[in-house]
Amino acid sequence: MEKFIQKCLMGQALPGDIDEHIQAWHEGDSRESLPLYLGMEPAEYARWIEDPEQLEAIIEAHRT
């Protein structure tokens, strides 16, 4: 299964779709932490939690 960040990079998801992916994590049986499930490092996840506007920058950082 592709991670949320990977889906964004491939054009299969938009940043605004993150809530759907979080809901899928809550409803699923993944043993991964939410940050890893989304494809983020813990520091990136913390940055996003502190400032949701940073999500696009986090995605872009994965592109390079």
Side-chain angles (χ1 to χ4, degrees):
M1 178 176 168
E2 299 291 333
K3 307 288 186 191
F4 170 72
I5 296 290
Q6 293 168 328
K7 287 182 178 180
C8 288
L9 294 172
M10 295 184 305
Q12 297 175 349
L14 299 171
D17 297 335
I18 194 166
D19 289 337
E20 294 171 19
H21 287 78
I22 293 170
Q23 186 67 29
W25 179 80
H26 282 291
E27 293 174 355
D29 59 359
S30 177
R31 293 181 181 256
E32 291 180 298
S33 67
L34 180 55
L36 292 178
Y37 181 85
L38 294 171
M40 293 184 202
E41 296 294 326
E44 292 172 324
Y45 181 78
R47 182 174 150 204
W48 170 68
I49 290 295
E50 186 173 309
D51 182 5
E53 298 287 321
Q54 293 294 311
L55 183 56
E56 289 188 35
I58 292 166
I59 294 167
E60 191 58 34
H62 281 260
R63 187 177 316 278
T64 56

